[in-house]
């Protein structure tokens, strides 16, 4: 890897105070995008639970600033923007692009990327990107969480396409999208919210370019990446050198082979090698891709690695999370394995289930290298539950999507946290009042499970029990929850 410090010295000097002001302005802009999205989205999943991420990217597609959103998207959002750049090398003011292809920088089909170039005059400054989970993108089951064996059955799959031209939506593209989802009015509202959040990014970058000049803004954006890289390298250098391995067994892929009564487990193997200011996570030896949707594209696997390492080396969140952070980190896995999926393997469960467990695996391996800075495993699953059907109150289709909360792992000096979204997830609870007002469902119990964190000087966080009642109609329900086999 080239010496980044040499590259920095070759650039014109940036006033330190100006650098700090613009760096913070970029992160504030990403946070503003989040606020715009939450205030204008239609679905409870986006308005209150927060299943989305917002970011600002440079002209090459590197993430410069991410809002306080989901670590699960750290590894793949830059690839999503680069996929747009590769498909549309010439972009114009007023363009907006959309795609959700997991094999071109997406994560799973319900996570829809909306990407907009940001200009100052005719000068391209970078891109805004909003990745938001749509509660339904088609497929055979409400919520798009069926146990299928090919990605073609998981719902509408969009390569990078131009959604807006000259600031106006393409009605043909929108017609294709909304004809393939169960709740088109809600999807239209969420899509408009994503576009609005990107427009906030455009406005903020344009204002910074007007104040400081386009050349200096782009230069500072590159320096922000180098700044994070230097901080990450310094943090890694403070840790002991060493190699460590960990093996984990997954409950299964959700698909039963003919004659099977139990899901077949599979194995993921990880070796961590930390030397100096660099670290490698190698998944050689992991099982081949499985028939069901527990296969993770490498960018999803990398997100789990990045999240865990960031928590270990930067517990006070002093290092700005961006593409520069990950330059010292290499993630490798055999193509076609369950952690480096290839088309047409299905992937919908793996986006959150595999990345959750990968984060825990990194923690376990790193505990052998630096035990005083590593927490224990958390719940290890997003525990997704979806309901869908016809709402008896109005005769319209509905889809409810929730990610349940569990125990955060015990820390070296304190207990874990009860009933929260852990590690790769940063979602909030959907308030029961909002859920019951929006859908024909009733939550009859939502309680902390006593003693579920286990014994020890520092116990793990407690899990939760949640009970639903479907009201006056037939509904389709689907659950996606790892570590269920150990409950029996």
């Amino acid at each position: 890897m080239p010496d980044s410090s040499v590259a920095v010295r070759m650039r014109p000097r940036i006033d330190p105070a100006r650098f700090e002001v613009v760096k913070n302005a970029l992160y504030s802009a990403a946070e503003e995008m989040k606020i715009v999205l939450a205030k204008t989205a239609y679905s409870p999943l986006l308005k209150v639970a927060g299943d989305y991420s917002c970011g600002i990217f440079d002209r090459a597609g590197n993430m410069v600033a991410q809002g306080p959103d989901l670590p699960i998207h750290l590894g793949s959002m830059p690839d999503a923007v680069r996929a747009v750049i590769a498909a549309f090398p010439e972009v114009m003011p007023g363009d907006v692009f959309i795609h959700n292809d997991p094999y071109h920088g997406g994560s799973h089909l319900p996570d829809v990327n909306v990407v907009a170039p940001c200009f100052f005059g005719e000068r391209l400054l970078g891109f805004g990107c909003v990745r938001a989970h749509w509660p339904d993108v088609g497929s055979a089951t409400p919520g798009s969480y069926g146990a299928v064996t090919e990605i073609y059955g998981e719902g509408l799959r969009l390569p990078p396409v131009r959604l807006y031209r000259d600031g106006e939506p393409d009605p043909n593209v929108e017609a294709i999208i909304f004809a393939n989802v169960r709740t088109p009015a809600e999807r239209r509202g969420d899509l408009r919210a994503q576009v609005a959040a990107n427009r906030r990014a455009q406005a903020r970058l344009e204002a910074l370019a007007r104040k400081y000049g386009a050349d200096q803004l782009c230069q500072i954006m590159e320096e922000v990446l180098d700044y994070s890289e230097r901080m990450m390298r310094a943090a890694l250098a403070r840790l002991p050198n060493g190699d460590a391995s960990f093996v984990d067994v997954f409950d299964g892929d959700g698909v039963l082979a003919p004659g099977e009564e139990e899901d077949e487990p599979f194995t993921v193997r990880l070796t961590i090698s930390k030397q100096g200011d660099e670290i490698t996570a190698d998944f050689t030896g992991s099982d081949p891709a499985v028939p069901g949707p527990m296969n993770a594209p490498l960018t999803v696997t990398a997100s789990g690695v990045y999240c865990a390492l960031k928590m270990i080396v930067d517990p006070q969140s002093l290092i700005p999370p961006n593409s520069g952070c990950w330059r010292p980190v290499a993630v490798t896995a055999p193509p076609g394995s369950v952690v480096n999926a290839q088309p047409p393997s299905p992937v919908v469960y793996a986006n959150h289930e595999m990345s959750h467990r990968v984060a825990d695996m990194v923690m376990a391996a790193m505990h052998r290298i630096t035990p005083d800075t590593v927490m224990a495993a958390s719940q290890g699953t997003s525990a997704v539950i979806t309901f869908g059907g016809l709402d008896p109150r109005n005769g319209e289709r509905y889809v409810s999507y929730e990610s349940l909360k569990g125990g955060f792992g015990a820390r070296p000096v304190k207990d874990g946290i009860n009933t929260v979204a852990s590690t790769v997830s940063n979602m909030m609870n959907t308030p029961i009042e909002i859920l019951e007002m929006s859908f024909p469902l009733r939550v009859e119990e939502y309680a902390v499970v006593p003693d579920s964190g286990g014994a020890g000087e520092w116990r793990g966080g407690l899990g939760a029990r949640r009970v639903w009642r479907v009201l006056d109609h037939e509904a389709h329900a689907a659950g996606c929850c790892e570590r269920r086999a150990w409950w029996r």
Side-chain angles (χ1 to χ4, degrees):
M1 178 177 290
D3 184 352
S4 59
S5 63
V6 174
V8 171
R9 285 197 297 269
M10 294 173 62
R11 294 183 186 147
R13 183 179 180 276
I14 301 172
D15 176 72
R18 177 168 294 186
F19 167 78
E20 194 67 20
V21 168
V22 175
K23 172 175 70 69
N24 290 334
L26 292 168
Y27 279 88
S28 293
E31 188 166 0
E32 281 189 61
M33 295 169 69
K34 172 189 176 90
I35 295 170
V36 171
L37 182 68
K39 287 185 175 293
T40 55
Y42 279 33
S43 63
L45 183 63
L46 301 186
K47 290 186 71 68
V48 292
D51 194 350
Y52 55 79
S53 287
C54 305
I56 291 175
F57 299 75
D58 69 11
R59 293 168 292 184
N62 298 306
M63 180 188 284
V64 178
Q66 184 190 29
D69 302 318
L70 305 190
I72 197 172
H73 297 149
L74 285 171
S76 52
M77 281 184 74
D79 288 334
V81 177
R82 293 185 190 114
V84 169
I85 295 171
F88 296 92
E90 298 294 330
V91 296
M92 301 295 293
D95 284 346
V96 177
F97 304 92
I98 187 171
H99 82 93
N100 67 341
D101 192 337
Y103 292 108
H104 289 88
S107 47
H108 60 178
L109 297 185
D111 279 347
V112 178
N113 304 284
V114 175
V115 181
C118 303
F119 286 86
F120 180 63
E122 297 183 354
R123 172 74 178 273
L124 178 64
L125 301 173
F127 296 85
C129 177
V130 177
R131 172 174 293 177
H133 187 114
W134 288 13
D136 185 84
V137 288
S139 85
T141 57
S144 311
Y145 261 65
V148 300
T149 57
E150 289 186 314
I151 195 170
Y152 309 113
E154 294 192 312
L156 177 64
R157 181 180 171 199
L158 290 168
V161 295
R162 182 182 275 111
L163 179 67
Y164 279 56
R165 187 189 299 270
D166 297 325
E168 296 297 327
D170 184 329
N172 298 306
V173 175
E174 288 198 334
I176 292 171
I177 294 171
F178 299 134
N180 283 278
V181 298
R182 290 176 173 82
T183 50
E186 189 178 79
R187 301 289 66 74
R188 187 185 299 272
D190 287 348
L191 177 57
R192 294 286 189 266
Q194 290 177 262
V195 173
N198 274 311
R199 285 178 173 160
R200 181 58 58 92
Q202 292 170 328
R204 291 295 179 253
L205 285 183
E206 183 181 5
L208 287 170
R210 182 176 294 108
K211 184 172 184 178
Y212 299 107
D215 288 340
Q216 180 147 115
L217 174 59
C218 291
Q219 182 186 345
I220 291 175
M221 291 169 73
E222 296 309 304
E223 172 59 21
V224 169
L225 298 175
D226 292 339
Y227 173 80
S228 289
E229 179 187 0
R230 291 194 300 272
M231 293 188 71
M232 190 69 171
R233 287 186 180 277
L236 287 170
R238 289 192 289 268
L239 299 181
N241 292 329
D243 299 333
S245 299
F246 192 79
V247 180
D248 207 351
V249 177
F250 289 66
D251 292 343
D253 64 352
V255 174
L256 295 180
E260 285 186 347
E261 296 183 0
E262 296 285 345
D263 211 347
E264 191 69 26
F266 63 90
T267 299
V268 174
R269 301 178 185 275
L270 168 66
T271 299
I272 293 281
S273 178
K274 190 272 171 183
Q275 295 295 326
D277 62 358
E278 296 187 345
I279 194 165
T280 299
D282 181 15
F283 290 87
T284 297
S286 297
D287 280 357
V290 292
M294 279 291 287
N295 306 288
L298 187 60
T299 52
V300 170
T301 302
S303 290
V305 174
Y306 296 158
C307 172
L309 289 177
K310 183 74 161 54
M311 293 172 70
I312 293 168
V313 306
D314 184 32
Q316 295 179 315
S317 297
L318 300 177
I319 305 175
N322 57 41
S323 293
C325 283
W326 318 125
R327 291 171 181 167
V329 182
V331 181
T332 60
S337 66
V338 74
V339 285
N340 188 358
Q342 305 297 307
S345 288
V347 300
V348 67
Y349 302 166
N351 174 51
H352 42 74
E353 299 307 291
M354 186 65 74
S355 56
H356 256 294
R357 294 290 284 278
V358 165
D360 280 348
M361 291 179 68
V362 171
M363 294 282 188
M366 289 296 292
H367 184 268
R368 298 168 184 174
I369 297 174
T370 174
D372 294 337
T373 60
V374 178
M375 58 181 273
S378 297
Q379 71 208 63
T381 179
S382 282
V384 168
I385 181 76
T386 65
F387 294 94
L390 288 177
D391 191 332
R393 299 171 299 181
N394 54 27
E396 296 181 355
R397 286 189 176 272
Y398 78 93
V399 176
S400 167
Y401 177 104
E402 290 184 80
S403 176
L404 308 187
K405 309 306 181 278
F408 195 81
R411 278 76 61 84
V413 294
K414 61 177 71 174
D415 291 342
I417 306 170
N418 299 336
T419 59
V420 295
S422 59
T423 57
V424 299
S425 179
N426 193 30
M427 292 172 58
M428 295 179 287
N429 281 292
T430 302
I432 291 172
E433 296 83 359
I434 298 294
L435 180 78
E436 294 182 343
M437 183 172 62
S438 302
F439 308 114
L441 304 169
R442 178 184 298 143
V443 177
E444 299 200 334
E445 182 182 7
Y446 192 26
V448 173
V449 180
D451 301 322
S452 55
E457 181 179 1
W458 307 113
R459 64 163 176 78
L462 303 180
R465 179 187 294 112
R466 193 168 174 102
V467 178
W468 297 262
R469 181 179 294 275
V470 176
L471 302 177
D472 302 323
H473 72 292
E474 289 189 2
H476 180 281
C480 175
C481 182
E482 254 290 318
R483 289 182 169 157
R484 67 195 186 282
W486 309 112
W487 299 352
R488 301 193 189 104

